[in-house]
Amino acid sequence: MPSEAPFPLSLEQEFLRLQHQNDGSAGDFGPRPISSGGWRLTGDLDVEDFRRALDDVVARHEALRTELLPGEAAGEDGGEGGGWRNLVHPPGPSPALEVHDLTAGDASRQERSEAFLNDVESGTFDMSRVPAFWAHVGRLADDDWIVVLVAHLPVVDVWSLSLVMRDLVELYAARRAGRAPELPEIRQYREYAAHQRTGADEAKAARSYGYWRDRLSGAEAVALPTDRPPVAGEPSGTRCDRFAIDAELGTAAVEFGRSLRCSPFMVLFAAYRVHLLARTGQADAVVWTLSPGPGRRRRWMADTVGYFVNFFPLRTDLTGCRTFRDVVERVRESCLSAFTHEVPFVRLAAEAGEQIAALEQSDRIAERARPGFQMSPNPFVLREQEAGGVGCVAAQRRRSQPLGPDVPDDAILWTAELGAGGELLFAVNSSVDRFDQESMDAMADEFTRVLRAGVGDPEIRLDELTASVRASGGGSGAGSVHASGRAAVAAETTS
Amino acid sequence: MDLPTQIAAIWREALDVPEDAPDATFFELGGQSITALMITAWLEDELGVTGVGVDDLFDDPDLATFTRLVVASLEPAA
């Protein structure tokens, strides 16, 4: 059947493949290419109907049963994306479902559910399994559950998992009630990849290439000093440090943003940018960001499961900024123009090749790391759903983990998330063989102090702000963790 | 459906607000960059609107103000 013919990688999938082609890591798409998420379910969950709903959701979304074939296996090698292809398997084999009893222990349900989520995420997953989709369900009490979904990142991004969970709850409710599910009609990811290959978006994208060539002309990337060079043969891996900013400061930061017509991202990115300025002295430089991707903006892809994530450079020139308010306004301009001109990174690298190559040269320096900053890829994180006698809400985390989702070894990735009640939650992924724990704690602390000082007094002078960060001994981990009001929960090593 | 109704439908769906929700501005409704990008992309794909950008949503309009802006952008220049 022609619909079962393997189809080429999308531009976004191709980027993921290229990113890992030369980074020396194991695995074609990185050593642990998983997407994952957790949800708390309240109510009386029937595990057998949940199992059937899992089959239903895999039948509904082709991406959940898509396998990636290397060039040779797909009957071709070379060419775009190294000849890799998406092969959609017919519905049939069930996803792996494991049910765990988490009712024991003195820890609170919240603590148990977070520890469970971290444990599942740190596990090993065989991406050649069909479907490469796992559900781990933990019973905290008879009416309180934690569901963790894991999928293969290059075919299912993290935003997609929140769509999968939304559908899963409705499919479960339909099973319970013996009725037809009420779900929007969807287009499959193959249609997105095919749409891209028609070049239909190219005319519009072409109007943005000039912007990027100008914007990135003479640009360098922020190169953050690491604690030590990687040692060959030493264990490499990505840790994930999490911390929270209290609701008072979190709400104030979002409100301050609004007063300047800024999104939460812009205010938080401004504070991050000042933290990087204090550490590197680079006033005019690029920080990388990840976005939900140009494909995700299209209405006909709004409910589609697939890999849409995009990557692009945000160049912010802080030269001449006197105050924190100036920095936020500079960041606002930089973000709005970059978002407006966003194109898939593979196209950007082709059309502004010289500028991107220069950027990559400037940030691939020994003993330097490339910082990235993004908003949480789960846009529905505060949305509550109720159907079939269960309520569902995303499980937010503040507990660190020694082994988290991968980022490339030479990168540091910050992810900010709006928490319930106005808190702000952060996850920072860094390479364990290049950064010490103390440095990561110090960075979180510096960021928090910049945000607090800047939001508290937007007219605070930028030189004063950076000097105060430096005075605290940036990088030395001078133990002022609690002075900033930052709440951190240390990683639990379970063995 | 007339134009304002279509614009309202896109606004509500992208921002995930019910029809009977009280009037509020883009940021009050939790608008972020991706929401603004979705609204402008949907307007372009479905209504051929090209004269409204992300920055117009970042000016923090309410639905009525935004609708006037979109409608005006479609009128031939005087």
Side-chain angles (χ1 to χ4, degrees):
Chain A
M1 277 166 59
S3 69
E4 287 172 11
F7 62 93
L9 300 187
S10 68
L11 295 173
E12 291 80 0
Q13 291 179 303
E14 206 179 301
F15 165 70
L16 201 59
R17 170 75 195 115
L18 292 172
Q19 194 187 29
H20 288 287
Q21 199 157 36
N22 301 314
D23 75 347
S25 64
D28 297 306
F29 292 86
R32 303 183 70 249
I34 61 165
S35 55
S36 58
W39 288 266
R40 272 295 266 286
L41 294 187
T42 47
D44 184 17
L45 184 75
D46 184 289
V47 172
E48 283 318 305
D49 273 338
F50 188 75
R51 187 188 303 278
R52 292 182 190 99
L54 279 168
D55 287 337
D56 295 342
V57 86
V58 172
R60 173 170 163 83
H61 295 287
E62 287 184 359
L64 291 175
R65 43 191 163 84
T66 295
E67 181 186 7
L68 289 176
L69 304 178
E72 301 76 34
E76 229 176 284
D77 46 17
E80 288 183 358
W84 283 75
R85 296 286 187 277
N86 293 273
L87 175 67
V88 178
H89 290 274
S94 293
L97 170 64
E98 281 185 30
V99 182
H100 306 253
D101 182 6
L102 306 177
T103 54
D106 295 330
S108 70
R109 287 183 195 176
Q110 174 63 25
E111 285 168 334
R112 275 179 275 151
S113 77
E114 281 198 35
F116 179 67
L117 180 44
N118 282 353
D119 281 352
V120 171
E121 200 175 63
S122 307
T124 309
F125 298 89
D126 172 14
M127 293 309 170
S128 65
R129 189 186 188 280
V130 177
F133 177 49
W134 294 261
H136 287 249
V137 176
R139 185 166 64 93
L140 300 157
D142 285 341
D143 60 351
D144 195 356
W145 307 74
I146 167 91
V147 173
V148 181
L149 301 181
V150 177
H152 192 197
L153 179 66
V155 288
V156 178
D157 63 19
V158 175
W159 177 311
S160 294
L161 280 181
S162 59
L163 297 170
V164 170
M165 191 64 209
R166 181 200 67 184
D167 289 1
L168 199 47
V169 170
E170 171 57 19
L171 291 162
Y172 169 80
R175 284 277 179 189
R176 292 300 287 159
R179 61 168 170 81
E182 290 168 26
L183 288 170
E185 272 189 43
I186 48 164
R187 311 271 294 268
Q188 300 291 350
Y189 190 68
R190 67 164 71 241
E191 298 178 68
Y192 177 64
H195 170 83
Q196 244 179 6
R197 288 196 302 276
T198 65
D201 293 336
E202 193 53 29
K204 190 169 182 214
R207 297 202 292 273
S208 291
Y209 299 143
Y211 162 83
W212 286 111
R213 283 190 286 263
D214 287 349
R215 187 81 194 189
L216 299 179
S217 162
E220 60 175 39
V222 173
L224 191 63
T226 60
D227 291 324
R228 57 182 173 279
V231 180
E234 285 286 301
S236 151
T238 300
R239 72 161 79 77
C240 181
D241 290 296
R242 293 199 175 83
F243 67 97
I245 282 177
D246 62 74
E248 195 186 337
L249 176 55
T251 308
V254 171
E255 284 300 312
F256 169 62
R258 261 204 71 200
S259 75
L260 294 181
R261 297 172 300 140
C262 284
S263 62
F265 173 84
M266 292 171 180
V267 176
L268 302 178
F269 183 74
Y272 185 63
R273 192 62 192 77
V274 171
H275 150 71
L276 292 175
L277 174 67
R279 285 203 167 221
T280 67
Q282 291 173 276
D284 175 12
V286 158
V287 176
W288 299 95
T289 191
L290 292 155
S291 79
R296 194 52 94 183
R297 301 175 187 179
R298 311 301 282 271
R299 199 181 210 176
W300 56 281
M301 282 287 117
D303 295 303
T304 300
V305 171
Y307 186 81
F308 293 95
V309 174
N310 194 33
F311 179 77
F312 60 94
L314 281 177
R315 180 182 190 176
T316 314
D317 184 359
L318 302 183
T319 311
C321 285
R322 283 187 54 256
T323 64
F324 183 66
R325 179 197 300 274
D326 291 345
V327 174
V328 176
E329 283 172 350
R330 206 63 69 82
V331 162
R332 181 182 194 273
E333 184 283 323
S334 158
C335 287
L336 282 180
S337 62
F339 295 157
T340 302
H341 292 286
E342 185 184 353
V343 293
F345 186 80
V346 170
R347 299 295 304 133
L348 178 61
E351 297 293 335
E354 211 176 293
Q355 292 81 358
I356 293 291
L359 267 186
E360 289 184 340
Q361 205 160 21
S362 73
D363 71 7
R364 298 261 161 91
I365 306 172
E367 298 183 52
R368 295 285 189 280
R370 299 178 287 149
F373 195 90
Q374 66 169 348
M375 279 310 275
S376 165
N378 180 353
F380 312 118
V381 75
L382 296 176
R383 195 179 289 178
E384 291 177 32
Q385 192 183 355
E386 207 170 326
V390 295
C392 176
V393 67
Q396 295 192 301
R397 275 185 281 185
R398 47 184 71 218
R399 187 172 292 269
S400 299
Q401 64 197 109
L403 183 62
D406 283 325
V407 295
D409 274 355
D410 60 348
I412 280 194
L413 178 63
W414 282 58
T415 304
E417 185 168 287
L418 303 178
E423 271 189 329
L424 299 173
L425 303 177
F426 293 85
V428 183
N429 295 67
S430 63
S431 157
V432 294
D433 60 353
R434 296 184 199 216
F435 287 99
D436 294 326
Q437 187 62 52
E438 295 72 39
S439 298
M440 301 317 299
D441 293 343
M443 284 186 210
D445 195 44
E446 276 168 40
F447 169 82
T448 306
R449 277 186 291 116
V450 169
L451 186 70
R452 184 176 297 282
V455 169
D457 174 18
E459 309 309 326
I460 188 171
R461 289 172 52 100
L462 181 55
D463 51 8
E464 211 179 297
L465 203 50
T466 52
S468 75
V469 169
R470 279 197 293 266
S472 79
S476 75
S480 49
V481 170
H482 298 291
S484 70
R486 174 175 71 85
V489 182
E492 249 188 12
T493 35
T494 48
S495 55
Chain B
M1 259 200 298
D2 65 353
L3 190 58
T5 313
Q6 287 172 301
I7 296 166
I10 286 175
W11 171 278
R12 290 200 187 95
E13 191 181 329
L15 285 159
D16 193 31
V17 290
E19 216 163 306
D20 55 0
D23 191 37
T25 66
F26 177 74
F27 286 129
E28 283 169 345
L29 292 168
Q32 298 200 26
S33 321
I34 181 63
T35 335
L37 290 162
M38 285 164 108
I39 292 174
T40 51
W42 296 5
L43 286 170
E44 179 171 354
D45 282 354
E46 288 158 39
L47 304 175
V49 174
T50 56
V52 173
V54 176
D55 45 342
D56 292 310
L57 286 154
F58 270 68
D59 281 341
D60 202 19
D62 60 8
L63 175 58
T65 309
F66 183 64
T67 302
R68 279 196 296 276
L69 201 70
V70 175
V71 172
S73 81
L74 289 171
E75 280 162 8

